[in-house]
Amino acid sequence: MKDGPAIANVAALIGDPARANILTALMAGKALTVSELAQEAGVTLQTTSSHLSKLLGGGMVSYRKQGRHKYFELASHQVAGTIEALMGLAADSGHLRTRTGPRDEALRSARRCYNHLAGTAGVQVYESMVRRGYLTVDAADLSLSTAGRVFAENLGIDVVRLSKGRAPLCRECLDWSERKTHLAGSLGRALLDYMIADGWVKQDATSRAVSFTARGRTLFNDIFPVLDAV
Amino acid sequence: MKDGPAIANVAALIGDPARANILTALMAGKALTVSELAQEAGVTLQTTSSHLSKLLGGGMVSYRKQGRHKYFELASHQVAGTIEALMGLAADSGHLRTRTGPRDEALRSARRCYNHLAGTAGVQVYESMVRRGYLTVDAADLSLSTAGRVFAENLGIDVVRLSKGRAPLCRECLDWSERKTHLAGSLGRALLDYMIADGWVKQDATSRAVSFTARGRTLFNDIFPVLDAV
DNA sequence: TTCATAGTTCGATCATAGACGAAGCATAAA
DNA sequence: TTTATGCTTCGTCTATGATCGAACTATGAA
């Protein structure tokens, strides 16, 4: 056998069920400890430790040490993007168990993607903002207009602070269930944070799904109305 | 261990060295027989056959039967895109052997990506056309302007016929070596076909690299000049 | 028909690497 | 200090699956 191309290494890294569980758990964007990841993956602590060192060696994850805890997270947005691409492939190619049960329905409807809102709700946010001119799409760049800035600040989001951060303020992110663009970047993150803080949504403890409260859904549709394309 | 997520299946499929070799061979866009793929992967015919049936089951490849030959190709553009994403990950995360030797240099310079031109030359085509307004980038859509249409038709490309096809005329494709956009879609394919037919480039028999002839390079730089951004 | 080539299926072999128990570090609390 | 918790390392077991030889099917050529 020829020495396999580099691609095989990283794919094999993702291809193990336990590691895939770890990575999908990290897709939510929250940093998790080894123990928490062991729980998610359904294997013992030792096994998880071994998997994490492999993922680390492959540049898929990074960690911060804090006291006697080790918080792992995805190494880059590129990693997250690649995993989303694989999810997209897995979704249609074969094994149609992705559309089974109400829980997956919930996932398709609204979920965290890395750290922002995805699913139909995420797409609704994006399109609603684009169509009102709050977000302007230019070449491959997405930016917040003056009107959009006012809009965000009315929600109590500190745009100035966000735009000083290292992460881009607005970024497009392709939704694997909707196959449409939704809003990522620090603004996307801030919007989801806001919805959580203001009690619009509740996060599912075991999955990436988020569910709207009755009040939250009303406010959501009010503030991010579905509009026709121009 | 929890039953692994669907993503693990498809990643594991790509994660085997022999299968990764098969898939990267198919990335060139040409349909290949089982024997040819066995050659590429460096394993026997039986082993290749087994791998291909797995890839087929996973929806990664498809085939056409022709006489006693079976021509395999990538099942969709989505598959190709996912593999490119993995290549991107493999490129920076660790193992810096991507920049070894002149052959890889050739690959970075100009190669086929699925069916169109990629590498620095591919990026040059794209940027040159965008900056002259032949291609217009709008939201996530790429389209050919009237001026661009005239330009393409002057090269003898039948734009009308292309735009009737099922494939989109212009599509963006992220270059894994350059990390910039290059031109895909049926127009991208037609341009590469033109360069081959007119003897601008010669295809490497064993890799995805393409090399310019002296005349071809001159014409190329003439027709797709490097321009400054607006 | 016979022969040759393309590809598949079967069966056996064998290496890899994923799993966990047990023991060892390291950090923090008591 | 002692004790508890979080994580790592080591060693062993085991199952999976990649591989190839050999035999089989299918298509085409002579």
Side-chain angles (χ1 to χ4, degrees):
Chain A
M1 191 184 55
K2 263 164 77 177
D3 62 334
I7 172 187
N9 296 320
V10 334
L13 224 41
I14 309 176
D16 175 79
R19 284 195 293 263
N21 276 323
I22 289 174
L23 290 170
T24 45
L26 291 174
M27 282 294 284
K30 234 171 72 177
L32 298 172
T33 66
V34 182
S35 313
E36 288 169 329
L37 288 169
Q39 179 82 9
E40 288 282 346
V43 290
T44 62
L45 194 60
Q46 310 94 284
T47 305
T48 307
S49 177
S50 152
H51 282 309
L52 284 170
S53 71
K54 280 173 192 167
L55 288 172
L56 194 64
M60 309 284 295
V61 300
S62 61
Y63 69 92
R64 287 169 289 141
K65 243 185 143 166
Q66 219 164 86
R68 53 182 164 177
H69 294 272
K70 224 166 159 178
Y71 287 94
F72 279 86
E73 55 195 347
L74 294 185
S76 69
H77 223 290
Q78 206 187 355
V79 172
T82 304
I83 292 171
E84 285 259 334
L86 285 166
M87 283 173 164
L89 264 196
D92 35 50
S93 77
H95 330 291
L96 303 179
R97 41 184 142 123
T98 19
R99 53 170 170 77
T100 56
R103 180 166 154 207
D104 284 333
E105 180 51 43
L107 265 185
R108 257 202 306 286
S109 162
R111 65 175 183 281
R112 289 160 298 162
C113 164
Y114 208 44
N115 54 26
H116 51 270
L117 189 65
T120 50
V123 172
Q124 184 174 334
V125 166
Y126 175 83
E127 296 191 342
S128 185
M129 290 187 71
V130 167
R131 284 173 187 168
R132 282 178 290 174
Y134 294 167
L135 291 173
T136 50
V137 189
D138 179 19
D141 274 349
L142 191 65
S143 49
L144 190 67
S145 68
T146 312
R149 185 179 180 139
V150 171
F151 171 78
E153 282 168 347
N154 279 343
L155 291 175
I157 292 172
D158 186 349
V159 178
V160 175
R161 189 180 59 78
L162 288 184
S163 52
K164 277 180 187 154
R166 206 157 47 94
L169 184 63
C170 310
R171 224 179 46 74
E172 297 188 339
C173 184
L174 186 65
D175 205 287
W176 64 266
S177 62
E178 294 298 307
R179 303 303 163 75
K180 291 181 177 176
T181 302
H182 61 244
L183 178 64
S186 55
L187 180 62
R189 173 176 220 149
L191 280 175
L192 178 57
D193 289 346
Y194 172 77
M195 293 179 198
I196 293 167
D198 203 43
W200 292 20
V201 298
K202 280 186 294 194
Q203 303 192 57
D204 188 294
T206 58
S207 83
R208 299 155 60 213
V210 299
S211 57
F212 279 87
T213 61
R215 172 178 157 273
R217 173 56 77 180
T218 306
L219 283 168
F220 180 81
N221 283 327
D222 203 38
I223 296 185
F224 300 102
V226 178
L227 302 167
D228 283 333
V230 190
Chain B
M1 188 186 58
K2 263 163 76 176
D3 64 334
I7 170 185
N9 296 321
V10 336
L13 223 41
I14 309 177
D16 174 78
R19 284 194 294 263
N21 276 323
I22 289 173
L23 290 170
T24 45
L26 291 174
M27 282 295 283
K30 233 171 73 179
L32 298 172
T33 66
V34 181
S35 312
E36 287 168 329
L37 289 170
Q39 178 83 7
E40 288 281 346
V43 290
T44 62
L45 194 61
Q46 310 94 286
T47 305
T48 307
S49 176
S50 152
H51 282 310
L52 284 171
S53 71
K54 280 171 192 167
L55 289 172
L56 194 65
M60 309 284 294
V61 300
S62 62
Y63 69 91
R64 286 169 289 139
K65 243 185 143 166
Q66 218 162 87
R68 50 181 166 179
H69 294 274
K70 227 168 159 178
Y71 288 93
F72 279 86
E73 55 195 347
L74 295 185
S76 69
H77 224 291
Q78 205 186 355
V79 172
T82 304
I83 292 170
E84 285 259 334
L86 285 166
M87 283 174 165
L89 264 196
D92 36 50
S93 77
H95 329 291
L96 304 180
R97 41 184 141 121
T98 19
R99 51 171 170 77
T100 55
R103 179 165 154 207
D104 284 334
E105 179 51 41
L107 266 185
R108 257 201 307 286
S109 163
R111 65 176 183 281
R112 289 160 297 161
C113 164
Y114 207 47
N115 55 27
H116 52 270
L117 189 65
T120 51
V123 172
Q124 184 174 335
V125 166
Y126 176 82
E127 296 191 341
S128 184
M129 290 187 71
V130 168
R131 283 171 188 169
R132 281 178 291 175
Y134 293 168
L135 292 174
T136 50
V137 189
D138 179 20
D141 274 349
L142 190 67
S143 50
L144 189 67
S145 68
T146 311
R149 184 180 180 138
V150 170
F151 172 78
E153 282 170 346
N154 278 343
L155 291 174
I157 292 172
D158 186 349
V159 179
V160 175
R161 190 180 57 78
L162 289 184
S163 53
K164 276 180 188 156
R166 207 157 46 95
L169 185 63
C170 310
R171 224 178 46 77
E172 296 189 337
C173 184
L174 185 66
D175 205 288
W176 65 266
S177 62
E178 294 296 308
R179 303 301 164 77
K180 291 180 177 176
T181 301
H182 61 243
L183 178 65
S186 56
L187 180 61
R189 173 176 218 149
L191 280 175
L192 178 57
D193 289 346
Y194 173 77
M195 293 180 198
I196 293 167
D198 203 43
W200 293 19
V201 298
K202 279 186 293 192
Q203 304 191 57
D204 189 294
T206 59
S207 82
R208 298 155 61 213
V210 299
S211 57
F212 278 87
T213 61
R215 172 178 158 273
R217 173 57 78 179
T218 306
L219 284 168
F220 181 81
N221 284 326
D222 204 37
I223 297 186
F224 300 102
V226 178
L227 302 167
D228 284 332
V230 189

